[in-house]
Amino acid sequence: DGGSSSAAVTQYNYLNYPSGKYTVCLSVINAAGCISQTCKEVNISGGINQLTQTGGVDVYPNPNGGNFTVTVENPKTDISIAVYNLLGDVIKVIETNSLKSVYSVDLNVANGIYIVKVTNGGLISSQKITINK
């Protein structure tokens, strides 16, 4: 859509786009004016119009020191919780053997930004958290 930002971390949500293939590009310009661009084709399919960023999931406090809580509204039998670094590496998977609404997470990681991905009943919510010890 041509959006731009000067923030170190920027997130765009395109929840109202119909299913289909889209080309997504990221362009970066440094202080010297050098430009780098990378593009990928992504496929959006099924149910994207029904998702919201926080859709029944809350992660708090944020920022935190490595200990935080994940609450899930109306948990389903297939709930899963995973934490990723910004490179996409799995940092921790929270075992959800019992169906409950509140999960405590304890991470022993470096300060930084991480992604908490919660899958519940086929819907996915991904939220950024900041660890600052």
Side-chain angles (χ1 to χ4, degrees):
D1 67 356
S4 65
S5 173
S6 60
V9 177
T10 301
Q11 177 179 348
Y12 291 99
N13 292 313
Y14 297 101
L15 300 177
N16 294 320
Y17 279 66
S19 295
K21 290 184 179 182
Y22 296 89
T23 300
V24 179
C25 298
L26 173 66
S27 299
V28 179
I29 304 171
N30 69 10
C34 295
I35 299 172
S36 179
Q37 183 180 53
T38 185
C39 296
K40 281 192 162 190
E41 188 173 273
V42 296
N43 187 23
I44 297 176
S45 62
I48 194 72
N49 294 334
Q50 299 172 6
L51 297 179
T52 62
Q53 182 179 4
T54 57
V57 175
D58 195 17
V59 180
Y60 60 91
N62 192 14
N64 62 69
N67 299 314
F68 57 93
T69 301
V70 177
T71 60
V72 181
E73 183 180 312
N74 300 319
K76 309 294 183 201
T77 56
D78 63 344
I79 190 168
S80 67
I81 301 170
V83 180
Y84 298 84
N85 65 18
L86 290 180
L87 298 175
D89 300 322
V90 176
I91 302 301
K92 184 168 190 166
V93 174
I94 293 81
E95 297 295 329
T96 57
N97 295 333
S98 61
L99 190 61
K100 56 185 183 177
S101 297
V102 179
Y103 298 87
S104 296
V105 180
D106 183 17
L107 293 178
N108 186 14
V109 294
N111 290 349
I113 297 172
Y114 296 86
I115 305 294
V116 178
K117 178 180 174 184
V118 179
T119 304
N120 183 33
L123 296 178
I124 298 172
S125 175
S126 295
Q127 298 183 33
K128 292 180 186 176
I129 59 165
T130 301
I131 306 294
N132 190 8
K133 297 179 183 182

